[in-house]
Amino acid sequence: MSSSAHVPTGSSPGGRPRRLLTQNREMRAIGVHNWSLPAWAGRLPDGRTYNTCPAAGICRHVCYARFGTYTWPAVRAKHESNLRFVLDDLAGWEQAVLAELAAPKFRGGWIRIHDAGDFFSDDYLRAWLRIMRTRPDTNFYAYTKEIRRFKALVEPDPPENFLWVYSYGGTQDALLDPAVDRVADVFPGEDAIHEAGWSSQDASDLLAVLGPHLVGIPANNIPHFLKRLAGRRFSEWQADLDAHRRTGGQATVRSITNAPSARTRRGPDSEDHAA
């Protein structure tokens, strides 16, 4: 996942962002534009509180979008401006996104929804689904921990131009079936990904939705992040916490994720298919 934020170009006189779809360094390298919200929970300048990642679990403790360039005042202001637009005028925001996507450069291109944030409400998710269906010549993809919401609103009738990957480390991990669902897990490093038999997306973020469906993401190389990860995958860390809560704090044995390695799930000659 991308770990550097785009430095915004500012807002319109009315306080709304001039551009909704931007590119950071990593996304520009693979020709992807992205849409961002503030990460997880916070307070807007007008005093309203928000939670853009209601299904976040342990991931919030080491979320790349809560540190570094994402905390720069200009970047934070841009993301908060995006969120205010959605909260205050969802229909107007939807039309603004559609108008921006009408530009020729987006035809055949890719949009990553949420460099930070998630599909925090049913209405917001439905707005994105309408956008996708109105712009069938543009491709969209996303990571999400909103598993319950997606299984109810997306999976029964997904837009043909939308691909997604469910990411471990949230409060709804137990709903995932890695034999069926495309899943992403954060690992301590590339070696751990390969040892588990998963496939890394480090070469291109698009591999998260176009490559094999067990997606490994190397953890950000930030010392205090790696210390908290303690050699675990996100799925294992979340399972540890869930077991600890179920037993009233008595659990001491590290839980094992319900996502098997690719080696145990598939034979050596089996083929991977894109979603």
Side-chain angles (χ1 to χ4, degrees):
M1 288 186 286
S2 174
S3 58
S4 63
H6 169 76
V7 179
T9 56
S11 299
S12 67
R16 288 180 174 172
R18 290 193 182 98
R19 284 193 301 145
L20 300 174
L21 305 172
T22 58
Q23 287 182 307
N24 61 29
R25 185 178 64 254
E26 289 85 352
M27 295 295 102
R28 186 178 297 110
I30 58 175
V32 173
H33 284 77
N34 49 280
W35 158 258
S36 289
L37 296 172
W40 194 44
R43 186 183 298 275
L44 294 172
D46 61 15
R48 284 180 292 176
T49 59
Y50 62 82
N51 186 344
T52 62
C53 303
I58 54 87
C59 61
R60 68 186 187 274
H61 298 299
V62 290
C63 176
Y64 67 88
R66 296 180 63 208
F67 300 90
T69 56
Y70 285 82
T71 64
W72 292 359
V75 176
R76 184 191 297 274
K78 170 63 165 64
H79 293 170
E80 289 178 347
S81 179
N82 286 348
L83 179 59
R84 287 198 307 272
F85 197 175
V86 171
L87 295 176
D88 295 340
D89 185 7
L90 183 61
W93 168 81
E94 183 177 334
Q95 291 307 309
V97 174
L98 287 171
E100 200 163 312
L101 287 170
K105 67 180 179 180
F106 293 114
R107 192 170 298 121
W110 286 89
I111 307 296
R112 173 174 166 175
I113 305 174
H114 301 136
D115 189 42
D118 207 338
F119 299 92
F120 59 85
S121 74
D122 288 357
D123 286 345
Y124 175 58
L125 174 55
R126 289 190 181 103
W128 269 115
L129 295 174
R130 289 191 297 269
I131 289 168
M132 295 167 194
R133 291 190 168 97
T134 305
R135 292 285 181 259
D137 293 335
T138 301
N139 303 297
F140 300 83
Y141 77 105
Y143 297 80
T144 185
K145 291 180 172 64
E146 291 296 325
I147 302 159
R148 187 174 289 109
R149 183 167 283 131
F150 263 59
K151 289 187 177 296
L153 300 181
V154 180
E155 288 194 11
D157 183 25
E160 293 184 0
N161 55 336
F162 181 36
L163 299 174
W164 66 92
V165 55
Y166 293 121
S167 54
Y168 280 105
T171 59
Q172 299 176 16
D173 279 8
L175 300 177
L176 290 174
D177 180 356
V180 176
D181 300 314
R182 176 177 288 274
V183 293
D185 205 352
V186 173
F187 287 73
E190 287 284 341
D191 289 346
I193 294 172
H194 297 307
E195 288 170 6
W198 288 45
S199 296
S200 174
Q201 54 67 273
D202 199 41
S204 170
D205 196 57
L206 283 170
L207 292 174
V209 291
L210 296 177
H213 88 269
L214 295 180
V215 181
I217 301 169
N220 288 295
N221 191 26
I222 301 173
H224 67 277
F225 280 14
L226 295 175
K227 183 177 180 180
R228 296 201 73 171
L229 196 57
R232 298 170 292 189
R233 294 150 61 165
F234 269 21
S235 57
E236 293 172 331
W237 186 4
Q238 185 68 49
D240 284 349
L241 179 61
D242 293 344
H244 185 78
R245 287 172 172 166
R246 284 195 304 270
T247 60
Q250 300 303 311
T252 57
V253 178
R254 191 164 100 175
S255 303
I256 302 299
T257 177
N258 64 343
S261 73
R263 295 191 185 97
T264 60
R265 190 182 62 80
R266 297 189 299 254
D269 298 324
S270 62
E271 295 181 351
D272 294 304
H273 300 279

